[in-house]
Amino acid sequence: MSAGFVLLALLMGVVTYPSRALPLLAPGIERLPRPVLDYLRLVGPAVLAAIGAVNVLVQGPGGRRGFHLGIEAVAVVVCLVLTLWRRNLLPGLVAAVAIVALARAAGLG
């Protein structure tokens, strides 16, 4: 792992913190219009879906686009299933990270 990736992760945490902390920092947020609340509620899952898509959609030689069906795709599907089943994003994310970490440690990913 490169130190640049750690720095990038920290930077992204700082950049995305305001939208995640808004309910804690803004009193009366529940009085916002319903479309605004829906938007704020769906920002996190939309960002995570984009990250998942980047891990399974690739551009191959000659500009051909396709799916990479490796351990990352398995982790994305497991995350999706667990999130829908438990109605909670955290178990799905933890399972996906664990699957990829264990697979890469075993030399499979």
Side-chain angles (χ1 to χ4, degrees), residues 4-108:
F5 287 133
V6 174
L7 181 62
L8 180 63
L10 292 173
L11 178 65
M12 291 307 297
V14 169
V15 170
T16 61
Y17 180 75
S19 68
R20 292 180 285 126
L22 192 60
L24 299 173
L25 301 176
I29 193 168
E30 66 277 352
R31 292 188 304 246
L32 287 173
R34 185 73 181 157
V36 173
L37 289 174
D38 289 342
Y39 172 80
L40 291 173
R41 186 176 56 85
L42 295 173
V43 167
V47 169
L48 290 170
I51 292 170
V54 167
N55 283 307
V56 297
L57 297 173
V58 295
Q59 185 166 350
R64 291 187 57 201
R65 295 182 181 146
F67 290 101
H68 168 69
L69 298 177
I71 195 66
E72 296 87 358
V74 173
V76 168
V77 170
V78 167
C79 180
L80 179 65
V81 169
L82 278 175
T83 300
L84 290 173
W85 176 50
R86 302 295 300 167
R87 308 275 304 157
N88 188 347
L89 186 59
L90 185 61
L93 287 177
V94 170
V97 169
I99 288 169
V100 173
L102 291 173
R104 289 183 179 169
L108 301 174

